[in-house]
Structure formats: C-alpha cells, structure tokens
Amino acid sequence: MPIVVVVGGQWGDEGKGRIVDLLARKARVVARYSAGNNAGHTIINEKGEFKLHLVPAGIFYPEKTCLIGNGVAIDPEVLLQEIDQLEARGIDTSKLVVSDRAQAIMPWHKALDALEEQARGASAIGTTGKGVGPCFADKVARRGIRIGDLLRREDLAERVNQTLEYQNRVITRVYDGEPIRFEECMDRYVDFGRRLKPYIGDVQSVILQAERRGEHVLLEGAQGSLLDLDHGTYPYVTSSVPSSSSSGAGLGVGVGPTDISRVVGVFKSYCTRVGNGPFPTELFDEMATTLRDHGKEDGRGEYGTTTGRPRRIGWLDAVAARYSVRFNGLSAVALTRLDVLDELPSIKICTAYQLDGKTIDTMPARESMLNRVRPVYEELPGWQTPTKHVRNFDDLPPQAQTFIRRVEELIGCPVDLISVGPEREQAIIVNPIF
Ligand code: GDP
Ligand code: IMO
Ligand code: MG
C-alpha cells in the first residue's frame, strides 16, 4: 500500500515541511495527521518562502489534494488566515479538505494554555501558547468541540453550553482569570464555520479512494518524536502523538497500520529543541551560537518558526535517534541541514550516555535520570568544504560521506535522503522514497 509517513525524529523543526515539499512531487494526496498550529513548517520553492502551521506542505502543487486529518487540533482563525495568505500569494487552496472530526481550538484553550504555564512557574513546559495542549486534554476528557460542530449554530451552542460553564469555573476559580463570554464566542465561531464550510469533508474516504487507485499518499507529521506524549521526554512533551506508531499517523487520518508502507524519519545533522525539558547533548558554548546563527543574516537561523524563540542547540544524539528509529519503525532517514556543518573542523556524535558512573546506550524514561546523563562523544573530522551544490552522494567530501555512514551505523537506519540547503532542489536522493 503506497502510504508513506514523514515524521520528525528529534524534538521538532527537523525540516519536515521541506522534505514533504520535495516528496510531494510523487504523491497524489498529502495529509497532516497530528498536532495543531503549534507546528511551523518552512518551505522554500519556486513559489517563494512560506511558513505553514496547519496546511500540508503539498499545497504548492495545484493538482494534489491536501488534507487536514481528524488527529489535528485546528484554530479556525489561524487556518482561515493561512488560507487567505496562501491565496493572496497565488496558491490555490481549493483542493484542501479539512476533517469534520478534527478538534477546534476554542478561546478557553488559549486562555488555559497561558494560565497553566504561568502556574507551573519554574517547571513551565515552554509551550507555544497556541491552546493546543488544553484542546487535546478536552478531546480526551470528551469535552472537545469538533470542526463539524461549527457548521450549525444549534449544534455549536449545545456543545459550547456543555463545556464553557466548566471551563469558566476553572479559569476564574483555579486561576483567577477572566471568563469567556458565550455570545461573543458563538458569533465568531459560527462565522468561522460558515467560512470553512467549503473545505470541510470526509478525509478518510479521500485517502481510501486514492489508495484504491494505487496513488501515493504522504502523511506529514508535526513536531518530533521526542515530544511524543508516550515516548517523549515526559512531561516536557506536546499533548498529541507526533510519532508514527499506529496510534499516531494512522489514527490521525483514519487508516490502519497495515496501510502504511514506509516511514521516513527526518533528523537534523545535529539537534535542536525549543521549550524546556531534558536535552542531553545541549551546548552552551560558542559552538551553539555558530550553529544557531548559521544563515541568520537571511532570516534562516535556528529561531522558532511559530514563536521566534531561539532554539537550544546540541550535537547529534545517536542514543535518542536510535530510540526514535525503533519506536517509529523507521524505514529510512532524511538527514537535513548537513550544509550547516560545512565549516566545522570537527563534528561530535553522542554514542552513549554516562549515568551515575555507568555507560548506558538507551534513553531513560525518567526526567530526573535524563537530567543527570552525560553524553559520551565520538569526534569525526569535518570537511570544511561547501556542500550546497552537491546532488550525488559520491560527490560529497569523503569526511561528509564518513559522517553519514557512521550516523546510519549508530542509529540503525539507512539515510536515503540528504538535504544540503533549505530549497526544494538542494537535496541528494540516495534511494528514492517512492
Ligand atoms: P519543520 O517544522 O520540521 O518543518 O522545520 P522548520 O521549518 O521549523 O525548521 C527547519 C528550518 O531549516 C527551516 O528554516 C528550513 O528552511 C531549514 N532547512 C531545512 N532543510 C535544510 C537544509 O538542508 N539546510 C539548511 N541550511 N536549512 C534547511
Ligand atoms: P514543528 O512541527 C518544535 C514544543 C514546544 C514545547 C512543547 C509543548 O514545527 O516541528 P505545545 O505548544 O505543543 O503544548 O508545547 O512542544 N513544540 C515544538 N517544538 N517544533 C514544533 O513543531 C513544536 N510543537 C510544539 O516548544 O516545548
Ligand atoms: Mg517547525
């Protein structure tokens, strides 16, 4: 079955949007399956530079159908803005289908995201503040409002009535915040429903029809597997399932695990993380600044796509990557931002951790242990040669080839695609994904 999942292998921002934009060329349908507008995917192609939060990165190909699946939490205002901005730049969005089963981010979710973070004090997660966590919490608590509910005032009123009184009690009595007014919220969301109506449809059946015709379907992940609610660095994680386990990708668009043929994990050639939480290979010296500010003059440094926050920087963590390869069942790796390492005299990879005097090669589950591990590094020579123009593996400098082969060995997965720049064509296809 030709369904391919693209999933972030680290803590997000690995370049998933950029990889999906490249792979979408061969797909007929591109679907987002998880998260919400906490995601920020940068795409640079012949149409310009774009930052997408909800719309899948296949939107730049007019003939492709793009889907937002039931697993996504949608702020309707953000989605409408994104659609308007794309249309204003000449990108046709008429083939976008939004699941009526997707959750809607409501005003109380955004209020609660801010209030909960404030209450956490020094243990704040460092969320993106978009209301995504409280929205998924409501989904699980069976209090959520779905995109389909926005289509009829009476349905929406019933759902809002059931939840708003409870949420206002939490906002005012637990957090001393300002209550949300029913009428104000109703008018805005009924209007969002009216404007979204042409896009709302049955995502699952679009995928099944494409499958029956033997067409390729690409599922675009958001965030990274180490932010996964189950497998990530809990509690410093997001509130959805970025990983490709059957409870993630398949569930998020309504297909089963046996429908998925390949899972491609996107990894940076080093690591970044935004927000708080354990990060064993984090760097605090000038190497962090060098890597963060690479391309900064063109607005392409390591600063959050959604929040603009500086990203924390570290060396590639092969222990974490190996773990991510396993629980995602990855068939291939797309290694991005290789060019960012071009000028370095040497490059480190973390091959194991030291924990309380012992060497371990697996990722502990507990935060207190993850905060204590010390990385064990292997140092490889750099290549100090530009790679942006390279399009064949054999044309890479020998030290870069050695680095990639060592990454494959350490993480236990072949690198089938290498990205050497942010633009669509700046890539080396080692083995075609489709
Ligand atoms: P995503 O959330 O995984 O889609 O990643 P982001 O868009 O948040 O962050 C990745 C950043 O790296 C973006 O600014 C991309 O344009 C950029 N990028 C992706 N691949 C490459 C690459 O191979 N080289 C360089 N220099 N930049 C890249
Ligand atoms: P893309 O798809 C990087 C992080 C936040 C925070 C944690 C919880 O662009 O890779 P949330 O707002 O989800 O409740 O925040 O998750 N986070 C991301 N970090 N890239 C993302 O998405 C992220 N989405 C959420 O910074 O640490
Ligand atoms: Mg991002």
Side-chain angles (χ1 to χ4, degrees):
M1 303 274 181
I3 298 188
V4 172
V5 183
V6 173
V7 62
Q10 296 157 320
W11 281 281
D13 305 323
E14 300 90 347
K16 297 172 293 294
R18 180 257 180 281
I19 297 296
V20 169
D21 174 63
L22 175 70
L23 297 180
R25 195 155 34 199
K26 295 269 177 71
R28 186 71 191 76
V29 174
V30 184
R32 265 281 304 270
Y33 65 81
S34 73
N37 46 288
N38 44 358
H41 297 179
T42 313
I43 292 102
I44 305 172
N45 55 32
E46 79 283 356
K47 308 252 169 81
E49 177 165 351
F50 300 85
K51 294 185 188 300
L52 298 177
H53 302 287
L54 286 162
V55 174
I59 199 73
F60 305 101
Y61 300 87
E63 71 285 7
K64 318 280 180 197
T65 303
C66 284
L67 310 173
I68 301 181
N70 53 276
V72 180
I74 299 173
D75 184 330
E77 188 174 20
V78 173
L79 177 57
L80 285 161
Q81 272 167 8
E82 200 161 296
I83 290 171
D84 287 348
Q85 282 162 7
L86 286 165
E87 289 285 343
R89 292 178 68 184
I91 310 298
D92 177 21
T93 61
S94 61
K95 287 208 176 63
L96 177 69
V97 181
V98 179
S99 172
D100 47 4
R101 289 185 160 89
Q103 296 286 317
I105 295 180
M106 302 299 290
W108 52 88
H109 295 136
K110 286 186 267 192
L112 284 166
D113 200 348
L115 292 167
E116 286 170 3
E117 276 288 85
Q118 211 177 0
R120 285 184 192 111
S123 339
I125 292 166
T127 72
T128 58
K130 305 293 179 191
V132 175
C135 179
F136 279 114
D138 271 2
K139 174 181 178 177
V140 177
R142 297 163 292 188
R143 263 195 304 267
I145 288 170
R146 305 204 294 184
I147 289 296
D149 297 328
L150 309 186
L151 290 174
R152 208 166 147 255
R153 181 178 271 274
E154 296 75 17
D155 294 349
L156 182 63
E158 195 185 321
R159 301 289 306 140
V160 171
N161 258 326
Q162 280 171 19
T163 193
L164 186 59
E165 195 197 328
Y166 168 83
Q167 297 292 18
N168 272 340
R169 259 187 283 154
V170 176
I171 290 173
T172 56
R173 296 193 198 172
V174 177
Y175 296 113
D176 226 0
E178 285 298 312
I180 310 285
R181 287 181 37 234
F182 175 83
E183 270 313 326
E184 188 187 313
C185 153
M186 280 298 299
D187 290 346
R188 284 181 63 222
Y189 276 72
V190 167
D191 188 50
F192 293 151
R194 183 187 55 76
R195 289 165 61 200
L196 280 177
K197 192 173 176 190
Y199 295 99
I200 299 175
D202 182 354
V203 158
Q204 184 196 30
S205 60
V206 176
I207 295 191
L208 292 179
Q209 281 161 21
E211 254 191 303
R212 274 193 206 120
R213 290 194 294 264
E215 294 165 345
H216 293 308
V217 175
L218 201 51
L219 302 188
E220 176 179 347
Q223 291 131 21
S225 300
L226 301 174
L227 290 170
D228 191 272
L229 191 53
D230 277 79
H231 304 291
T233 47
Y234 194 87
Y236 293 92
V237 292
T238 191
S239 298
S240 60
V241 181
S243 74
S244 63
S245 54
S246 56
S247 56
L251 188 75
V253 291
V255 299
T258 50
D259 289 323
I260 290 168
S261 57
R262 298 198 80 194
V263 185
V264 180
V266 187
F267 290 77
K268 272 181 198 179
S269 304
Y270 49 98
C271 278
T272 63
R273 174 164 201 170
V274 265
N276 303 327
F279 186 2
T281 62
E282 184 165 13
L283 292 166
F284 299 96
D285 56 10
E286 66 265 38
M287 182 57 75
T289 316
T290 306
L291 294 173
R292 182 180 301 114
D293 289 348
H294 185 279
K296 191 182 177 190
E297 61 287 358
D298 306 316
R300 292 176 186 172
E302 290 285 13
Y303 294 84
T305 309
T306 300
T307 57
R309 293 176 289 179
R311 293 176 181 149
R312 298 159 66 194
I313 309 278
W315 291 116
L316 185 74
D317 183 342
V319 179
R322 200 156 52 222
Y323 170 59
S324 176
V325 165
R326 285 193 200 131
F327 73 76
N328 276 299
L330 295 189
S331 15
V333 161
L335 193 69
T336 62
R337 297 183 68 99
L338 186 75
D339 55 297
V340 174
L341 306 181
D342 280 353
E343 285 155 33
L344 305 186
S346 70
I347 295 154
K348 289 185 185 173
I349 307 178
C350 165
T351 55
Y353 298 146
Q354 282 283 328
L355 178 66
D356 305 334
K358 289 195 192 113
T359 305
I360 57 169
D361 62 1
T362 53
M363 222 181 160
R366 279 156 49 204
E367 187 205 339
S368 61
M369 290 167 89
L370 274 170
N371 283 334
R372 286 206 311 280
V373 300
R374 295 282 163 266
V376 176
Y377 286 119
E378 182 172 306
E379 193 157 359
L380 300 178
W383 42 95
Q384 299 187 287
T385 315
T387 55
K388 271 184 188 300
H389 59 281
V390 178
R391 299 292 174 266
N392 292 302
F393 186 84
D394 294 341
D395 296 335
L396 280 170
Q399 298 89 333
Q401 295 188 20
T402 305
F403 171 76
I404 292 160
R405 293 297 180 224
R406 188 65 184 133
V407 169
E408 288 181 320
E409 229 167 63
L410 285 168
I411 73 175
C413 191
V415 173
D416 282 357
L417 209 163
I418 302 156
S419 174
V420 288
E423 295 175 27
R424 188 183 279 169
E425 304 306 329
Q426 291 178 314
I428 299 168
I429 298 174
V430 185
N431 280 306
I433 303 287
F434 284 114

